[in-house]
Amino acid sequence: MSFRRKLLAVFALTVSVSVGSVAWIVLVLSRHAFERADAERTAALVAQFRREFQRRGQDVVRRVEAIATSESVTRIALALNRSAPDYSSYVGEARALAESQHLDFLELIDAQSVIISSAQRAARFGYREESLNFSSLPGDAFLKSEELADGAKLALSSVREVRVGDKSLYVVGGQRVDENFLASLELPTGMRAMFYQNLGTGFSPPLLIDASGVVRRAEPLTTLIKEVQEQRKEGETNIHWSSDAADDEIVHAIPLAGQNDQLLGILLVGNARRPYVELRRHIRYAALLAGSAGIVLAIVFSGWAAARVIRPVEQLADAAREVAAGNWSTQVAVTSADELGELAESFNHMTKELLQQREHLVQAERVAAWRELARRLAHELKNPLFPLQLTVENLIRARQHSPEQFDEVFRESSSTLLAEIANLKAIISRFSEFSKMPQPQFQRVQLNEIAQNVCRLFQAPEDGKRIDFKLELAEQMPEIAADPDLLHRALSNLVLNALDAMPDGGKLSIRTYQKGGLACIEISDSGVGLTPEECQRLFTPYYTTKTHGTGLGLAIVQSVISDHGGRISVRSEPGHGAAFLIELPRNLDKLEAAQQARSTSNAYS
């Protein structure tokens, strides 16, 4: 991945993580704030319900007390002290008294819990009231279940005792707890109150009411209501009314008990989650917009940063490649005064220093090369000159002291002179040959054929030495572009060196193979081997490990291989032979250049 893309990825990731983190923090804080506000509103609504419940209860208490102190009730209480009171004459009294005080329920009951008069059900005259315990009457209003013709109803009731003489009369009155009661509550926006009348076992949907009447969809609340019925404690749950999360509602359930601590009602406070869900959607939408805008800005900024940072670095990289290719005078433009500018100045200073050091190095190498050449020439020419000097001196002495033997001495000395002169010519020819190494004439060649020709050339026994040749050629070896004569000459030099390293005979192996896109040939022997120091200096001109040699053979081989764009290496250990490996590129691109050069030469010839 390029640095430009890495920079873009870092900027985009930074923006995404930052925006995502902020959005997550805002969502968490808003959820906590919503839950806290929901709890506060629920508590406020419950407190309002209890206040309204208490206010309604006090109102019922006042109305029941007004009835209990009325003249009609006192008259009935006095009649109860007679020996045989007639209750039938009071059947309609309760209805009239209830209407006078706007009560929904009213019953007059004697000390034996017998109903004297009932406003809600006149037919209950003479029945016993079993649901009330008159021995411990509550002072405040309480919930009470009232049996009506159409079923049981809940009432907010109050009981007052009227005692005249020895007999007591109990006045039990109350008002309905229904949708009108819930409608009287002032609810905040997004909240609603529901009331479940626990008048039977299990859960019955028609008993769940709100300010508008019976709740139409009561089934989702079944689990919560049953849980409160079983555990007799407050509960809370999130109700999913539809697939849209905005329709969810958090419902808080509060149990309400009657006089004998029986569960008679459950107040349910619903708090809509739509504001929170919409807020969360807005936050996500804003985060998405901010993230998208941030990514766009990241792309723009990364492009600017890349142009500001990467372009000078790319220029430095191009300049470094030019230096590596040999153009040591390369300079880069300094366009800023920051770290990149300092880097460019340092690079320019480095190339200047390299040029100066190269000039010094070239001069030093030139002087060293001339010194080495002079030393090698002096050494090579010194050996044949000494026999020449001795031969001439012998001729002079023979001419002066033994004229009769001069002819014989002359013939022997002439042979010696001619041999040493031929040796001098060979030495001079080798040095001249090394200085005139021709450039390769590239053409299509098959490396296996060159290896076979070299092997056939040296397979004949030499001086009685037995050499075991082994030729291993790779199948389907690709053609390469090379100079067949120069390669043949290089391989011949390597084979000659291998034969010289095996004076008593041995094994010589020539192997070809492919490695990646390279054509490889390896020449190995079982000779005396080389030390690591000798391996390092082996291709240095004029260095030789032989007693008689110019040290130019392997230097010529390396020059040929280098001109072909290849590489030669050696591995060896003393006493374990040596292996020379040549790696050559295919160089097919040089065929066209060579053909164009030949065409140009033919055009001018």
Side-chain angles (χ1 to χ4, degrees), residues 249-560:
E249 187 177 28
I250 296 178
V251 179
H252 191 84
I254 304 168
L256 301 175
Q259 180 188 10
N260 298 324
D261 201 28
Q262 71 273 31
L263 182 63
L264 293 180
I266 301 174
L267 175 65
L268 296 104
V269 179
N271 199 341
R273 288 176 60 85
R274 180 174 294 275
Y276 168 68
V277 173
E278 291 180 350
L279 175 63
R280 185 174 60 184
R281 288 176 179 173
H282 290 325
I283 293 174
R284 290 178 177 174
Y285 181 69
L288 181 61
L289 287 179
S292 302
I295 292 176
V296 172
L297 290 176
I299 295 174
V300 175
F301 184 71
S302 63
W304 175 83
R308 182 69 178 83
V309 177
I310 298 177
R311 186 173 294 114
V313 174
E314 290 176 346
Q315 292 175 352
L316 284 173
D318 293 339
R321 281 191 288 269
E322 291 186 14
V323 171
N327 185 11
W328 290 13
S329 61
T330 303
Q331 296 281 293
V332 294
V334 180
T335 58
S336 63
D338 54 9
E339 290 82 358
L340 291 174
E342 293 180 1
L343 180 61
E345 290 179 353
S346 299
F347 180 86
N348 294 337
H349 180 71
M350 177 194 71
T351 55
K352 292 178 181 178
E353 291 291 330
L354 285 176
L355 282 174
Q356 294 177 1
Q357 292 178 9
R358 185 179 68 169
E359 292 177 358
H360 294 319
L361 182 62
V362 168
Q363 294 175 1
E365 288 180 348
R366 187 179 294 114
V367 172
W370 280 111
R371 287 178 179 175
E372 179 66 16
L373 178 61
R375 185 186 69 79
R376 295 298 300 176
L377 283 173
H379 175 74
E380 295 294 336
L381 296 177
K382 181 179 179 181
N383 291 334
L385 285 177
F386 184 68
L388 287 174
Q389 180 182 357
L390 290 178
T391 302
V392 172
E393 290 176 354
N394 287 336
L395 284 174
I396 294 174
R397 283 195 298 270
R399 178 70 173 141
Q400 292 176 351
H401 301 291
S402 303
E404 65 282 0
Q405 298 179 353
F406 177 76
D407 292 338
E408 181 179 357
V409 173
F410 180 76
R411 286 193 300 273
E412 294 177 357
S413 298
S414 298
S415 300
T416 302
L417 287 173
L418 290 175
E420 293 301 328
I421 290 172
N423 189 17
L424 282 173
K425 289 177 66 178
I427 292 172
I428 295 172
S429 176
R430 285 194 176 186
F431 279 95
S432 176
E433 180 182 11
F434 180 69
S435 65
K436 298 179 180 179
M437 281 298 298
Q439 290 298 312
Q441 300 298 316
F442 288 96
Q443 55 183 290
R444 291 184 181 272
V445 299
Q446 178 57 254
L447 195 60
N448 285 348
E449 294 180 2
I450 297 177
Q452 289 174 337
N453 294 335
V454 172
C455 185
R456 282 195 293 266
L457 182 64
F458 292 96
Q459 275 185 342
E462 180 183 352
D463 299 332
K465 290 194 300 183
R466 180 170 179 79
I467 303 297
D468 183 11
F469 279 88
K470 184 177 181 181
L471 190 61
E472 299 180 10
L473 303 179
E475 296 182 359
Q476 298 179 350
M477 195 73 175
E479 290 184 339
I480 63 173
D483 189 321
D485 295 334
L486 291 179
L487 282 186
H488 187 280
R489 181 177 178 183
L491 295 181
S492 298
N493 280 342
L494 291 177
V495 172
L496 282 173
N497 279 347
L499 295 176
D500 290 341
M502 299 183 292
D504 299 326
K507 295 181 180 180
L508 190 145
S509 173
I510 301 177
R511 184 167 70 98
T512 62
Y513 59 92
Q514 295 184 67
K515 184 175 70 173
L518 301 176
C520 303
I521 181 168
E522 183 178 86
I523 299 176
S524 58
D525 61 65
S526 60
V528 296
L530 300 167
T531 65
E533 293 78 10
E534 291 173 337
C535 289
Q536 291 180 357
R537 301 184 58 192
L538 198 57
F539 299 103
T540 304
Y542 315 119
Y543 173 79
T544 182
T545 59
K546 302 176 184 178
T547 306
H548 301 285
T550 60
L552 297 177
L554 290 179
I556 292 174
V557 172
Q558 187 183 45
S559 176
V560 170

